[in-house]
Amino acid sequence: MASAPTAPPPPANLKRIVAASLIGTTIEWYDFFLYGSAAALVFNKLFFPDSDPLVGTLLSFLTYAVGFAARPIGALVFGHYGDRLGRKKLLVLSLLLMGGATFAIGLLPTHATIGSAAPVLLTVLRLVQGFALGGEWGGAVLLVSEHGDARRRGFWASWPQTGAPAGQLLATGVLSLLTAVLSESAFGSWGWRIPFLLSGVLVIVGLWIRLSVDESPVFKQALAQAEARKSTRAAEADAVAEKLPLVSVMRHHWRDVLVAMGARMAENISYYVITAFILVYATTSAGVSKQTALNAVLIASAVHFAVIPGWGALSDRIGRRPVYLLGAAGVGLWMFPFFSLIDTGGFGNLLLAVTVGLVLHGAMYAPQAAFFSEMFATRMRYSGASIGAQFASVAAGAPAPLIATALLDAYGSSTPIALYVISAAILTLIAVGVAKETRHRDLADVERSAGAEPTAARPADAHTV
């Protein structure tokens, strides 16, 4: 028994849904990236003052990496309940958790006040941030993917992805402004707290917008179908899948999970090397001031924001895989020129290095939302997309600044760091290269086919718009 397909929402409603997802992801990423920038700039002195400067930076990035470790847990918990209860409820919860943790960091006493308890509390709050972000991404992109026009899904689903550069832009912009108007001592004493406390205001705005949107029509349809199957005493395997989406994901979609994880390697590692580690490398190895490095990331993030919808629209025309492969290959090829430009110490070359790197990154990041959404059936889509994306972040984004900083400390050269990113690009090229194209899959058709047989076993052409 299947309910009639739900008509696409009118454009005004779709735009409101996109806005709700975008404002939420922007706030979530603002909070997450703010920590990364602060870790590179001040946390080493405030929370690890007894360490050598570079060792202090490593310890600071270690607390940064802890947030990534919590993201898979958030993906499992939010994915499970998001597939059972709906996308909207879990997105509201993730926003509250992230905003609350970030606001609390702004009130946190430093090592000078409470000693070793300060980095412990910082780590706990970072865990909460990671847990919340692990559940945010999947729900935000699915809410748009499942509402939107299938012919332009890549374009519409790429807008929540712009929340990452928007959050980076906002976080870097606030920090850049504060470092420009405050003395170094004032910023280190109290100025660094201001961006974290601003998160409280942003969360209120985000909640107001996010609470105004409707639940995904595709999810409502799938939920109705699930209830119908229960009423007719469906097979025991279907009942288990309804109770534990994770079980069904690992049984029917394990190949898709591996593809998603591989696809994230170059995307995740390159992003954190370009935006977080760059603040360390440019200031310590290239002799660039903190303000100059922040300004370069700020301008490049604005360009990144602008190009992502264009890459998403291109994926609607030529496919998710070609655009993704272009980005992975481009990032790998750009790494040696990237560091060579930074080594010159000039602002123009630094800006060019970061901007081109982020434009190429956008070719991977833009189609990712639609690509991952189209891999999984509706009643396991939140779990599948979240698991694939967030489990990869533990091996990719989490240690990237740590590994890059350690390589710089050990070899005093950018060459091992460039090779590290190139290796990740090769892994992504292999993963996406063996994947099936998903552009022509209809999300409702994926749901109907999943009840009959594992989606991974069906040919890609079986799913048409």
Side-chain angles (χ1 to χ4, degrees):
M1 179 179 178
S3 58
T6 305
N13 189 33
L14 178 57
K15 290 176 182 177
R16 186 170 71 249
I17 291 160
V18 170
S21 292
L22 174 56
I23 189 67
T25 53
T26 297
I27 294 168
E28 297 265 11
W29 284 114
Y30 166 80
D31 293 345
F32 205 75
F33 288 143
L34 180 61
Y35 190 104
S37 297
L41 296 173
V42 296
F43 280 178
N44 58 332
K45 300 174 184 176
L46 295 173
F47 294 93
F48 308 98
D50 299 329
S51 304
D52 173 82
L54 197 56
V55 174
T57 301
L58 278 168
L59 292 172
S60 185
F61 274 141
L62 184 60
T63 63
Y64 175 70
V66 163
F68 287 85
R71 284 166 68 171
I73 302 173
L76 290 172
V77 174
F78 279 80
H80 174 77
Y81 287 103
D83 282 328
R84 295 187 66 190
L85 305 176
R87 292 36 170 144
K88 177 180 173 179
K89 295 183 180 69
L90 275 297
L91 285 174
V92 169
L93 178 60
S94 71
L95 189 60
L96 286 171
L97 285 173
M98 176 67 87
T102 305
F103 187 82
I105 290 174
L107 300 174
L108 195 63
T110 63
H111 188 279
T113 305
I114 60 173
S116 59
V120 172
L121 291 174
L122 182 68
T123 302
V124 170
L125 292 173
R126 183 60 176 171
L127 283 168
V128 175
Q129 280 191 324
F131 178 79
L133 190 62
E136 161 71 22
W137 181 83
V141 299
L142 293 188
L143 196 64
V144 176
S145 295
E146 293 178 346
H147 269 96
D149 176 6
R151 292 171 300 176
R152 303 186 69 197
R153 185 181 297 128
F155 171 74
W156 289 115
S158 71
W159 278 100
Q161 299 291 78
T162 64
Q168 179 76 68
L169 187 64
L170 191 58
T172 306
V174 172
L175 285 171
S176 181
L177 176 62
L178 289 172
T179 56
V181 301
L182 296 176
S183 66
E184 188 169 349
S185 60
F187 181 77
S189 175
W190 56 269
W192 68 272
R193 298 182 184 274
I194 295 174
F196 290 91
L197 297 176
L198 283 175
S199 180
V201 178
L202 295 175
V203 167
I204 293 173
V205 176
L207 283 174
W208 176 68
I209 297 176
R210 189 160 274 186
L211 287 169
S212 68
V213 302
D214 296 326
E215 181 56 81
S216 155
V218 173
F219 175 79
K220 289 180 180 178
Q221 179 182 343
L223 188 61
Q225 291 172 342
E227 292 300 323
R229 286 198 296 269
K230 287 180 183 178
S231 66
T232 58
R233 304 184 67 83
E236 182 180 349
D238 286 340
V240 172
E242 297 300 338
K243 292 181 180 180
L244 295 172
L246 174 62
V247 173
S248 195
V249 168
M250 301 314 296
R251 180 168 48 182
H252 299 321
H253 289 285
W254 62 269
R255 292 183 183 86
D256 297 318
V257 170
L258 291 177
V259 167
M261 291 177 67
R264 286 275 282 167
M265 288 296 154
E267 179 268 307
N268 220 217
I269 289 173
S270 66
Y271 188 78
Y272 290 105
V273 168
I274 293 170
T275 61
F277 172 71
I278 189 63
L279 298 177
V280 176
Y281 184 80
T283 55
T284 59
S285 295
V288 176
S289 68
K290 291 179 181 178
Q291 185 65 47
T292 300
L294 282 170
N295 288 342
V297 174
L298 182 69
I299 297 170
S301 294
V303 177
H304 193 210
F305 178 92
V307 301
I308 284 177
W311 285 123
L314 184 62
S315 78
D316 287 326
R317 295 179 63 86
I318 67 174
R320 319 297 183 213
R321 292 174 66 252
V323 176
Y324 213 116
L325 290 169
L326 173 64
V331 161
L333 292 172
W334 183 245
M335 276 302 103
F336 280 112
F338 173 80
F339 285 109
S340 295
L341 287 168
I342 296 172
D343 287 338
T344 66
F347 176 73
N349 286 339
L350 174 62
L351 179 60
L352 177 64
V354 179
T355 301
V356 173
L358 287 182
V359 168
L360 293 169
H361 171 270
M364 293 182 283
Y365 200 53
Q368 189 178 100
F371 189 32
F372 290 6
S373 298
E374 291 158 349
M375 290 181 182
F376 303 95
T378 303
R379 291 287 281 163
M380 61 191 83
R381 187 170 293 135
Y382 202 143
S383 295
S386 296
I387 290 168
Q390 303 307 333
F391 271 67
S393 69
V394 177
L402 277 169
I403 292 173
T405 304
L407 289 173
L408 180 63
D409 186 34
Y411 296 97
S413 167
S414 63
T415 299
I417 305 167
L419 293 174
Y420 166 52
V421 179
I422 291 170
S423 298
I426 292 172
L427 284 175
T428 293
L429 287 170
I430 294 172
V432 179
V434 301
K436 292 183 173 67
E437 179 57 58
T438 63
R439 175 168 60 107
H440 293 301
R441 292 185 179 180
D442 177 31
L443 299 186
D445 284 347
V446 173
E447 165 63 20
R448 285 193 285 274
S449 68
E453 64 180 298
T455 305
R458 293 175 61 86
D461 293 341
H463 306 294
T464 57
V465 177

